[in-house]
Amino acid sequence: MSDCLFCKIAGGEIPVEFVYEDDDVVAFRDINPQAPLHTLVVPRRHIATLNDVQPEDAELIGRMYLAAQRVAADAGVAEPGYRTVFNCNAQAGQTVFHLHLHVLGGRAMQWPPG
């Protein structure tokens, strides 16, 4: 999608520092962090929301979680603990309509989350 912010970031049109990247996903720091570690894991291919994920996307979703695991380990928060979150649509807090997985850590998380 030509006007999608995360498509432009994943495609290199908007320069950001990736903390992780492979052929399928990229990860970068959130510009409005809610924890000491707040990274977004974004597929290179555009999928608007979690509701748009298809059965053939199962491997991609798995790759997103493996990238989150790596981001957490590299940041030193894997053992103390971290949270992963998909927001789906506006009422859940999704503001960029390109699927992305939040990786939050570096502080104690509260429950319920919001």
Side-chain angles (χ1 to χ4, degrees), residues 1 6 13 17-18 25 27 29 32 35 37-40 44 48 52 62 71 73 75 81 84 86 88 95 99 102 106:
M1 297 195 66
F6 286 174
E13 294 177 52
E17 179 185 345
F18 293 142
V25 302
R29 291 174 186 83
N32 185 26
L37 170 68
H38 189 170
T39 299
L40 304 177
R44 291 185 186 270
D52 299 303
V71 165
T84 58
F86 278 117
C88 184
T95 58
L99 187 69
H102 295 260

Side-chain angles (χ1 to χ4, degrees), residues 40-108:
L40 304 177
V41 178
V42 177
R44 291 185 186 270
R45 182 169 52 86
H46 185 84
I47 301 171
T49 75
L50 194 55
N51 289 339
D52 299 303
V53 170
Q54 300 298 308
E56 57 270 18
D57 297 320
E59 185 175 338
L60 176 62
I61 301 303
R63 289 182 182 279
M64 291 176 73
Y65 275 104
L66 289 172
Q69 179 187 55
R70 173 79 177 269
V71 165
D74 289 350
V77 302
E79 291 307 314
Y82 61 100
R83 179 173 288 166
T84 58
V85 177
F86 278 117
N87 295 323
C88 184
N89 286 324
Q91 195 167 3
Q94 185 176 7
T95 58
V96 177
F97 288 85
H98 181 123
L99 187 69
H100 55 285
L101 180 63
H102 295 260
V103 183
L104 301 118
R107 68 169 172 80

Side-chain angles (χ1 to χ4, degrees), residues 6-37:
F6 286 174
C7 283
K8 289 179 180 179
I9 290 172
E13 294 177 52
I14 297 175
V16 300
E17 179 185 345
F18 293 142
V19 297
Y20 176 85
E21 68 177 309
D22 64 26
D23 291 341
D24 300 307
V25 302
V26 297
F28 52 90
R29 291 174 186 83
D30 193 295
I31 62 169
N32 185 26
Q34 302 300 304
L37 170 68

